[in-house]
Amino acid sequence: MPSINDSKCILVIGATAGIGRALAVSLKALPSSPKVIVTGRRQERLDELAKQGFETIKVDIDTDRANLKKFVDNTVRKYPELDSIIFSAGIQHEFDFTKPEEVNVDYIVSELNTNYTGIVTMITYFLPHLLKVASKGQPAFIIPITSGLGIVPGPWVPCYCATKAALHSYSISLNEQLRDTGVHVIEILPPLVESELHDHQGRTPALSKVWMTLDEFTKQTVEGLKRGDSIVASGMAAQGFEKFEKGKAEFAHGAYMNHKKLTASS
């Protein structure tokens, strides 16, 4: 089974902090010594990573399709050896719909674009390159980072949960469609993890009492990536997956095979 050990060039989108940065550092240290490219919005953090030997690209994925297409085209042109992409960028907002007049709809749109629409758009634009790479015998990987909250929602962050549920569902379907192409989909399914994601909500002191440490999460996740697991879940997210999602991908496979038979005979 191909795994991240086979990667020669990895792009981590959203790597200036938290999960993305920790994964980028760990993957760069793999014995296979892949080239690791990191992206983010904060130039000063990109500069820090550049000093550690990373290739860096400044980009904000909460933008329109034209800018995302430009980013993808420029990246592929500069790094034709690119074979793996981790989608780590994400934002999270709390919303209280019992007070609808206080709900910021702009935040909802931004959350949807950053956590789902922008990712699917980039995957669509990157796929011609990845399919070409895979056709030459080099395994390629699309690695979305979803969330345990996409399986069991946290009502205080309802839109975040919905975006992650959408990305989780999309990942299952994408993996099925790409099954025989040499482009592999590996979904990273984190629990609550030590991260700056929650800082703007003022919840960090409380959450720090119950979250999984970033070091432990990174260790478990990299082990799963090295095994080539199609789902890399840890902590409470693994428990939620086991209880509510186990077998869904296999059922989706059967449904897809039946669909293909039906459409072929029509």
Side-chain angles (χ1 to χ4, degrees):
M1 175 68 182
S3 78
I4 203 68
N5 288 319
D6 300 304
S7 294
K8 298 177 180 178
C9 183
I10 305 169
L11 172 66
V12 185
I13 297 176
T16 53
I19 288 173
R21 183 179 181 127
L23 287 175
V25 170
S26 292
L27 293 174
K28 191 174 185 298
L30 288 174
S32 53
S33 300
K35 177 183 290 185
V36 179
I37 311 153
V38 296
T39 82
R41 295 178 292 116
R42 291 171 283 192
Q43 187 62 53
E44 69 279 4
R45 297 218 173 166
L46 291 173
D47 292 341
E48 292 172 7
L49 288 165
K51 293 176 182 177
Q52 298 176 37
F54 291 92
E55 300 280 326
T56 66
I57 303 172
K58 184 178 181 181
V59 66
D60 183 354
I61 69 168
D62 187 12
T63 186
D64 59 31
R65 290 194 301 273
N67 284 329
L68 291 177
K69 184 68 163 61
K70 182 178 179 181
F71 159 66
V72 170
D73 289 347
N74 288 342
T75 301
V76 169
R77 189 179 303 113
K78 185 174 182 180
Y79 304 103
E81 71 276 33
L82 177 67
D83 56 41
S84 302
I85 307 168
I86 298 176
F87 295 90
S88 180
I91 55 174
Q92 183 185 96
H93 296 289
E94 293 188 5
F95 297 105
D96 183 354
F97 285 93
T98 67
K99 302 173 182 176
E101 66 282 354
E102 296 180 8
V103 171
N104 188 323
V105 177
D106 288 338
Y107 284 179
I108 296 175
V109 173
S110 177
E111 202 166 49
L112 177 61
N113 193 45
T114 302
N115 296 354
Y116 180 71
T117 310
I119 292 173
V120 174
T121 299
M122 286 186 287
I123 289 173
T124 304
Y125 291 153
F126 272 118
L127 263 172
H129 168 76
L130 295 176
L131 288 166
K132 183 178 179 181
V133 167
S135 72
K136 296 178 180 179
Q138 171 62 35
F141 297 90
I142 294 172
I143 307 175
I145 298 181
T146 60
S147 171
L149 291 176
I151 295 174
V152 181
W156 56 95
V157 283
C159 296
Y160 176 84
C161 300
T163 63
K164 293 299 185 177
L167 189 60
H168 170 62
S169 176
Y170 171 76
S171 298
I172 294 173
S173 297
L174 184 66
N175 187 44
E176 193 58 44
Q177 289 193 14
L178 298 177
R179 179 181 288 267
D180 300 318
T181 66
V183 179
H184 307 274
V185 179
I186 298 179
E187 179 186 353
I188 296 175
L189 194 63
L192 175 64
V193 176
E194 177 185 358
S195 171
E196 294 178 6
L197 181 70
H198 316 284
D199 287 357
H200 72 283
Q201 301 164 350
R203 307 297 187 196
T204 298
L207 295 177
S208 65
K209 299 175 182 178
V210 294
W211 63 27
M212 176 180 281
T213 66
L214 185 57
D215 286 346
E216 180 60 29
F217 167 78
T218 304
K219 176 185 175 183
Q220 292 188 26
T221 299
V222 171
E223 288 174 353
L225 292 174
K226 289 162 67 175
R227 289 192 301 268
D229 297 347
S230 58
I231 298 283
V232 181
S234 52
M236 291 295 292
Q239 295 178 35
F241 178 84
E242 188 74 17
K243 184 172 183 178
F244 299 109
E245 295 287 303
K246 192 173 183 179
K248 180 181 283 188
E250 291 75 14
F251 193 87
H253 171 66
Y256 188 47
M257 291 300 99
N258 288 335
H259 171 77
K260 291 174 78 171
K261 288 179 182 178
L262 289 171
T263 54
S265 61
S266 61

